[in-house]
Amino acid sequence: MSTSSTQSRHINRRINSVQSNGHSSRDASRPRKRNITHNDAYLYALRVAYLTYLLQPKARRTLHTPAPQPPVQRSSTSINDLMKDFTLIRDNKSTRFPHGFMSELEKRLTGVLMGKEKKPEYNDASIKRTFAAFFNAFTEQSFKKRMEKDRRVEDLVLIFFSNATKELQKGKSPADDSWKLMADRHLALFVRLIGLVLKDQDWARDRPELAGRLATLESKLLAHDQDLSSTPARNGASSGAAVEVVVPLSYEVKDMPLVQVVARIFGLTNSQVQSDINKYRPVWTEKAALQDLKSYQTYLNLGSRRTLRSDDFDLDEAYDNWRKAEAHDLSQMMLAIIQANPEFAKSTPGSNLPQFHRSMSSPESANSSYPDALLKMSDHPERSSYVIEQPVDMTTINGGNQSPETSDSDDTAFTFIPPDARSYYRFIVAEAFAHDLNDKGLQPSEATAETPATKLLSKQSMELLNELGLRWRIPPASRIILFLDAVREKFIDQDISLDTLDAVFNFIKDQPSESKKSQTFVNPLLVDRPKWLLTDTALYQHILSSLHEALMRDLYSTMQQCYESKPPNIGPIMYVLEHHIYEDPSFFKSPEEMDAFAGALYDGLQQKAHATYRSYLEQHVPQDQESWEFFNVIELGKAVTTLAQKIQKRYKKNREVMGVNPLTALVETILPLYAEDARDIVTRIIELAQAKEEEVPIEDGFQLYAELTDIRRVHGEVLPNAPFPFPIEATLADFVWRWIATTESAITDWVDQAIKQDNFRVRTDNPQQIPTEEQRHSVSVIDIFTSFNQAIDRIVQLNWDDDLQYANFMTALAKIVGAGIARYCDVLEQRFNKEMDRLSPEQELASSQTKQEKWLQLAKDTWNNKEKIEPFQFFPESFVKLNNVDFAAQQLDKLEHEVNVDACAAVIQRHVLPVTQRQKKTNNYVFTIKIVEAEDLKACDMNGSSDPYVVLGDEYQKRLAKTRIVYRNLNPRWDESVDITTQGPLNIIATVWDWDAMGDHDCVGRASLKLDPSHFGDFMPREYWLDLDSQGRILLRVSMEGERDDIQFYFGKAFRTLKRTERDMTRTITDKLSAYIHYCLSRRTLRNLTSKGITMSTVSNYFSRNRPQQPTQAPSEAEVANALKRLFAYFDDNFAIMNQTLTSTAMVMVMTRLWKEVLVTIEALLVPPLSDKPSQQRQLSQLELDVVFKWLQYLFDFFHAVDEETGEANGVPLGVLRSPKYFDITTLNFFYFELTDHLIRESERMASATAARQQSQRNRLSAPASLTSPAFGGAAGLVGLPSTRRSKSIMLSRNLGTMKRAKEEKWKEAQADPNDDMILRILRMRPEAERYLKDRSRQKERLAAAAAADMIVRQSLMAGGGRMMGNLPRR
């Protein structure tokens, strides 16, 4: 247990014991209910103040009388002996001069040297000469710095004596020692000057030890010459002596400082007070004061109730210490009276009289018998003018013939001590405190960073109270508590402020500084509490309890205003409570009372919060419901949130006040009220708008949502376990859907306006400037994605708090973005195709020729063996459009990540209802139709070829898609895809047209196909060989996906749209270059290279292809390379144009597509397309085959474009160049000249391996790569054989990452296992293999059908027994 708690326990036990036993102590120890009049208090205060005047040191004056010159005697005492009094002092601090003394001494020395010193003894020339010598040493900075640090008087004295000795020895013979007495005299004057400086600055009162030592030193130095005023006579002036005489007392109020203080406190004039003094002067004498002390001493020895007894203390030790100190102090006080009136001691033997310390006397009273007025009293910090240092036995002093009365009930036992000293003292303290508070002339204390400026007690009032407490023998702790009790009464009566109360506590707690100890009448409050009187302890506890109640009332009243705009500050109240009440060990805080206060405060705050909310409601919401708007709810919410945020900020550091959180009380009250009112008002506004067939503005709904969510956030922070009563999202979701519908209706116009304002040029400041990668796309794609991002950000910024609704919003926006991208791609592709399909100048000229002229020109070109292949002039705008599509894909991928598509899809998936609970709705299905290739088309041109392209249409003759044109080819390959959305079965018609530069296009043939969703329940792709109604057939690959209201689906669809547009544009660009590629890599070029030009034999061989060729000489490497020189130059010219506009990504994409075109062209030179029918194509010779493979290597190096100096590849990456088709072509070299039987056996071996591999991989969901080739046709082609090829679904194309992974997987599958397709293509050129081709075709059909059936079964089992067909229409 701590000391403080033990002491408190003892004190409380003694207090309870006193109260229960009804014990009463003396009057001075406990305040009684005595009726103290104003006049009685005034008279007792007046007589003490008057006694102070009587006992003050008597003033003296000096009279000059002639005196004979005393003989000169030399001092027999050395300077070291004189300074022993300083070096032997125990308390060095008390003998050091104060800070600032050096500057004041310097001023005084300067006055002596300049003749301004008023004292006559300093006007002698030799004195000034000696002081000047010292002044030179005094003003040195090193000396001053050392003196400011040490502050020792002996250093000054010794330095002065040293300089004075040197100066006075000048001009004296060694035998002349008269200067020594003069040195003592000058040093005495210097010591006196030091004492004068201390006195003038009021430092002598704080350092009586120093003043006494200086006076002693001065007297010793003048032992042979006491009259310093005679020094001028010694230096040639008139001789004489100075005699000091006592100035008699005037007994006038003007000479009585404390009497004047009493007059001011009690509001009397000096004349009134003078009259009272004159009246009671015979009674209020020093002798009466001495008699009071003797009587009090007698009562103390007898243990009378007129003094304190052991029952008044908690500890016996405390009582013993008090009694011992009291006896000592009484002796000192009686001795002070005897010193002031020596005649009181005439009847006392001389041996019993106290001996006074001459060293403690001031210089002015060196020859006087009066004691020093500033000596301290033992064991008490208060300063008194009536005590001395030595303990003295005063029992032998007789103050008169009367003996003290021993009756405890006699109130007239003392003259100067009132009958109830505590009550009188408290009354006077209260009067003095009230007077000083109202005294306008009293300057307040200086304000600091922690405490404001305050006015408490003046210096004169504290001196008076100090004298009263000393004369009336009131313990220091009692004085503090009585003063605090008076302050308590003033505070409760609201006569003083809280700052003043705080200042009072600080005043009584803080240890006074050295310079202020003589000005205060109190000790630190928390010192020696066990030594307190029991009455003081009880009173102090009552004071704390009473102040606590008053402060709690003020705190409650102040907190009731905490919701106002400028509430009063509770900081001062809390500071006083925490630092002065609760921290005090004498205060007991009852938990029950504190809980009751907290409950009352919380209830009061809730009532204030409710009233505040009602005022806001009346201010922001009109009474008329027809006038209600969302703006009213928003403003009301802003007022509520502003208030909550203000309260939160206001109480950020201290969230709770006495266990009550003002923010919690506010939020718990006003937020539920606001939520309920807002719900009702918003619902009513929407109902009224619907009744009027009007719509509330969307932005109003968004602003309302933002305000409501802010309030809900505050509600959640303060009340985490309480639900918010307003379903905000459910009520305001319609505004978001309306905004989404508005955005959907405007998306097409956004795209059209962006395209309309775009010139599709690179964004450089200077046309000659080479554009950077970021400048190679135009502004339209930036504008549309800015619109997309703004639309999405508008929803994101709402911070919608319903995950499912937010995911649905993002899904709808994804659909809108997809529609906008589809529109952008459609318009861009139309403009791109228009630019790319324009006629060349030669074609425009030919269009104006007659039919006869056309035939003549054609015959002429044929005779000259000339094929006109003119380079195509590309527009930079076309390349910018391709850059835009590529940039759009990058931005869409970035947008997909920012939206967090996968998370939205996961949220929706978690909330999907079971199949049995879903509402039936019409489903949309997306058919992806890939127009792969055609065979054996009808020749429609005069050159025996056609320029075919395909148009897809529905049964209502609506065009659905159109492919590019493949020039001069009866076996074209398009590889173009189109998406068709339908809700049920749809018949499509594929029409093959022959493009003609002049006149109408010719129809090559037609075929039809029915798209029925019920036939694609397994969602597997199917391949259809459709026979044309004229000649030949066309291959279509069809796959189906259910169009889902899914964010991943919409993003995937948008990505696929961009990639298809990008691919189609790239293919269109490469198609413009493919004609020259076919021309340079044709069999005619190969034949010319191997036959060294055109001869008659070559012409004859043209009509006899099947005849064996004669061996020819192989061309050289240079000739083989020169055959490609024109092609490389053509590529370089076109690449240079493209490189100025296309981005690096688009450039690589175009080059990659050209490389594929090169591979297809070389493949066509080597083998015919895959089919089950024999081909008329002739197999190349070994020489021709070698030339073709050399071309392939040259072209590989050209497209890779390795820098010879750096070794860095600047073209198409190796991973793209070494594609599966490239490897298929390179494998031809191994089988090209094998015998037919060997090829058939190798094909059979591969087929067996494929069947075994398929059997061993039954657990895989996809078929082996060997089964992914197109079907041969026949019956399977008519019914649409399911293909095991991985379809390019929308979900696999939902971002760039999934598209890249799907492409990598496709290449891995293509390279995983070899297949026999190339062998079958070689066998097409062997007529003897016709039967095997048909058998192998049927075998592939059976394997593919088995693999597809197995796939369907496995998918059905994985889906749970046919769940895949759940959304398909039933027949």
Side-chain angles (χ1 to χ4, degrees), residues 62-88:
T62 304
L63 297 178
H64 294 276
T65 59
Q69 180 69 32
V72 177
Q73 300 179 5
R74 298 177 61 179
S75 176
S76 62
T77 305
S78 66
I79 187 64
N80 293 329
D81 294 336
L82 295 175
M83 296 303 297
K84 286 183 179 179
D85 290 341
F86 287 94
T87 58
L88 296 177

Short mmCIF file of all heavy atoms in Angstrom, two decimals, residues 62-88:
data_model
loop_
_atom_site.label_atom_id
_atom_site.label_comp_id
_atom_site.label_asym_id
_atom_site.label_seq_id
_atom_site.Cartn_x
_atom_site.Cartn_y
_atom_site.Cartn_z
N THR A 62 21.70 61.05 10.88
CA THR A 62 23.08 61.34 11.28
C THR A 62 23.24 62.83 11.56
O THR A 62 22.83 63.68 10.73
CB THR A 62 24.05 60.90 10.19
OG1 THR A 62 23.84 59.50 9.92
CG2 THR A 62 25.48 61.13 10.63
N LEU A 63 23.86 63.15 12.70
CA LEU A 63 24.18 64.53 13.07
C LEU A 63 25.69 64.68 13.10
O LEU A 63 26.41 63.86 13.70
CB LEU A 63 23.60 64.87 14.45
CG LEU A 63 22.06 64.82 14.57
CD1 LEU A 63 21.65 65.14 16.00
CD2 LEU A 63 21.42 65.79 13.61
N HIS A 64 26.20 65.73 12.45
CA HIS A 64 27.65 65.97 12.38
C HIS A 64 28.06 66.92 13.50
O HIS A 64 27.53 68.04 13.62
CB HIS A 64 28.02 66.57 11.02
CG HIS A 64 27.79 65.62 9.89
ND1 HIS A 64 28.70 64.65 9.52
CD2 HIS A 64 26.73 65.49 9.05
CE1 HIS A 64 28.24 63.98 8.51
NE2 HIS A 64 27.02 64.47 8.20
N THR A 65 29.02 66.48 14.27
CA THR A 65 29.54 67.29 15.40
C THR A 65 31.06 67.30 15.31
O THR A 65 31.68 66.32 14.87
CB THR A 65 29.11 66.69 16.74
OG1 THR A 65 29.59 65.34 16.84
CG2 THR A 65 27.59 66.68 16.84
N PRO A 66 31.66 68.43 15.70
CA PRO A 66 33.13 68.47 15.66
C PRO A 66 33.69 67.43 16.60
O PRO A 66 33.16 67.16 17.67
CB PRO A 66 33.46 69.88 16.13
CG PRO A 66 32.20 70.65 15.89
CD PRO A 66 31.08 69.70 16.13
N ALA A 67 34.81 66.87 16.18
CA ALA A 67 35.46 65.84 16.99
C ALA A 67 36.96 65.94 16.80
O ALA A 67 37.44 66.30 15.72
CB ALA A 67 34.98 64.46 16.59
N PRO A 68 37.73 65.69 17.83
CA PRO A 68 39.19 65.72 17.71
C PRO A 68 39.67 64.60 16.80
O PRO A 68 39.06 63.55 16.71
CB PRO A 68 39.66 65.53 19.14
CG PRO A 68 38.56 64.79 19.81
CD PRO A 68 37.29 65.30 19.20
N GLN A 69 40.78 64.93 16.14
CA GLN A 69 41.35 63.94 15.22
C GLN A 69 41.96 62.80 16.01
O GLN A 69 42.87 63.01 16.82
CB GLN A 69 42.42 64.61 14.36
CG GLN A 69 43.07 63.66 13.37
CD GLN A 69 42.08 63.26 12.29
OE1 GLN A 69 41.21 64.04 11.93
NE2 GLN A 69 42.22 62.06 11.80
N PRO A 70 41.45 61.59 15.87
CA PRO A 70 42.05 60.47 16.59
C PRO A 70 43.42 60.13 16.03
O PRO A 70 43.69 60.42 14.86
CB PRO A 70 41.07 59.32 16.36
CG PRO A 70 40.43 59.64 15.08
CD PRO A 70 40.35 61.14 15.02
N PRO A 71 44.26 59.62 16.83
CA PRO A 71 45.59 59.23 16.34
C PRO A 71 45.48 58.11 15.33
O PRO A 71 44.60 57.26 15.42
CB PRO A 71 46.32 58.79 17.62
CG PRO A 71 45.24 58.36 18.54
CD PRO A 71 44.08 59.28 18.28
N VAL A 72 46.38 58.20 14.40
CA VAL A 72 46.38 57.17 13.35
C VAL A 72 46.96 55.88 13.88
O VAL A 72 48.05 55.85 14.43
CB VAL A 72 47.19 57.64 12.14
CG1 VAL A 72 47.24 56.55 11.08
CG2 VAL A 72 46.61 58.92 11.60
N GLN A 73 46.17 54.85 13.80
CA GLN A 73 46.60 53.53 14.25
C GLN A 73 46.54 52.57 13.08
O GLN A 73 45.61 52.59 12.28
CB GLN A 73 45.71 53.01 15.39
CG GLN A 73 45.72 53.91 16.61
CD GLN A 73 44.79 53.37 17.70
OE1 GLN A 73 44.23 52.30 17.56
NE2 GLN A 73 44.67 54.12 18.78
N ARG A 74 47.50 51.73 13.02
CA ARG A 74 47.56 50.77 11.92
C ARG A 74 46.74 49.53 12.25
O ARG A 74 46.67 49.11 13.40
CB ARG A 74 49.00 50.37 11.65
CG ARG A 74 49.85 51.56 11.23
CD ARG A 74 51.29 51.15 11.05
NE ARG A 74 51.39 50.15 10.00
CZ ARG A 74 52.56 49.61 9.60
NH1 ARG A 74 53.67 50.00 10.17
NH2 ARG A 74 52.59 48.70 8.67
N SER A 75 46.14 49.02 11.27
CA SER A 75 45.33 47.80 11.46
C SER A 75 46.23 46.62 11.73
O SER A 75 47.29 46.45 11.12
CB SER A 75 44.49 47.52 10.21
OG SER A 75 43.82 46.33 10.35
N SER A 76 45.81 45.89 12.67
CA SER A 76 46.57 44.70 13.05
C SER A 76 45.99 43.41 12.50
O SER A 76 46.44 42.33 12.83
CB SER A 76 46.64 44.61 14.59
OG SER A 76 45.34 44.48 15.12
N THR A 77 44.96 43.53 11.72
CA THR A 77 44.27 42.34 11.19
C THR A 77 44.51 42.26 9.70
O THR A 77 44.30 43.24 8.98
CB THR A 77 42.76 42.40 11.47
OG1 THR A 77 42.57 42.59 12.86
CG2 THR A 77 42.11 41.12 11.04
N SER A 78 44.92 41.12 9.25
CA SER A 78 45.16 40.94 7.81
C SER A 78 43.83 40.78 7.09
O SER A 78 42.81 40.45 7.68
CB SER A 78 46.05 39.72 7.58
OG SER A 78 45.36 38.54 7.97
N ILE A 79 43.88 40.96 5.77
CA ILE A 79 42.67 40.84 4.94
C ILE A 79 42.16 39.40 4.92
O ILE A 79 40.96 39.15 4.85
CB ILE A 79 42.94 41.35 3.51
CG1 ILE A 79 41.64 41.39 2.69
CG2 ILE A 79 43.98 40.47 2.82
CD1 ILE A 79 40.65 42.36 3.24
N ASN A 80 43.08 38.44 5.05
CA ASN A 80 42.65 37.05 5.06
C ASN A 80 41.85 36.74 6.31
O ASN A 80 40.86 35.98 6.28
CB ASN A 80 43.86 36.12 4.98
CG ASN A 80 44.56 36.22 3.62
OD1 ASN A 80 43.89 36.47 2.62
ND2 ASN A 80 45.87 36.01 3.59
N ASP A 81 42.27 37.33 7.47
CA ASP A 81 41.50 37.11 8.70
C ASP A 81 40.13 37.74 8.60
O ASP A 81 39.14 37.21 9.11
CB ASP A 81 42.27 37.69 9.90
CG ASP A 81 43.58 36.94 10.15
OD1 ASP A 81 43.63 35.76 9.73
OD2 ASP A 81 44.49 37.55 10.73
N LEU A 82 40.07 38.91 7.92
CA LEU A 82 38.77 39.57 7.79
C LEU A 82 37.81 38.77 6.90
O LEU A 82 36.59 38.83 7.09
CB LEU A 82 38.96 40.98 7.21
CG LEU A 82 39.75 41.95 8.08
CD1 LEU A 82 39.96 43.26 7.33
CD2 LEU A 82 39.04 42.22 9.40
N MET A 83 38.32 38.01 5.96
CA MET A 83 37.46 37.30 5.00
C MET A 83 37.08 35.91 5.48
O MET A 83 36.40 35.18 4.78
CB MET A 83 38.18 37.18 3.64
CG MET A 83 38.45 38.51 2.97
SD MET A 83 36.96 39.49 2.72
CE MET A 83 36.07 38.43 1.63
N LYS A 84 37.53 35.54 6.69
CA LYS A 84 37.18 34.20 7.18
C LYS A 84 35.69 34.03 7.38
O LYS A 84 35.15 32.93 7.27
CB LYS A 84 37.91 33.93 8.50
CG LYS A 84 39.39 33.64 8.31
CD LYS A 84 40.04 33.29 9.64
CE LYS A 84 41.52 32.97 9.44
NZ LYS A 84 42.16 32.65 10.74
N ASP A 85 34.99 35.11 7.70
CA ASP A 85 33.53 35.00 7.89
C ASP A 85 32.83 34.54 6.62
O ASP A 85 31.77 33.92 6.67
CB ASP A 85 32.96 36.34 8.34
CG ASP A 85 33.38 36.68 9.75
OD1 ASP A 85 33.78 35.74 10.46
OD2 ASP A 85 33.30 37.86 10.13
N PHE A 86 33.38 34.86 5.47
CA PHE A 86 32.78 34.44 4.20
C PHE A 86 33.17 33.01 3.83
O PHE A 86 32.35 32.24 3.31
CB PHE A 86 33.20 35.38 3.06
CG PHE A 86 32.55 36.73 3.15
CD1 PHE A 86 33.17 37.80 3.78
CD2 PHE A 86 31.30 36.93 2.60
CE1 PHE A 86 32.55 39.03 3.85
CE2 PHE A 86 30.68 38.17 2.66
CZ PHE A 86 31.30 39.22 3.29
N THR A 87 34.42 32.68 4.10
CA THR A 87 34.88 31.35 3.67
C THR A 87 34.39 30.24 4.57
O THR A 87 34.35 29.07 4.17
CB THR A 87 36.42 31.33 3.64
OG1 THR A 87 36.92 31.68 4.95
CG2 THR A 87 36.95 32.34 2.64
N LEU A 88 33.95 30.56 5.81
CA LEU A 88 33.50 29.54 6.74
C LEU A 88 31.99 29.35 6.77
O LEU A 88 31.47 28.59 7.56
CB LEU A 88 33.99 29.87 8.16
CG LEU A 88 35.53 29.86 8.33
CD1 LEU A 88 35.89 30.27 9.75
CD2 LEU A 88 36.10 28.49 8.00
#
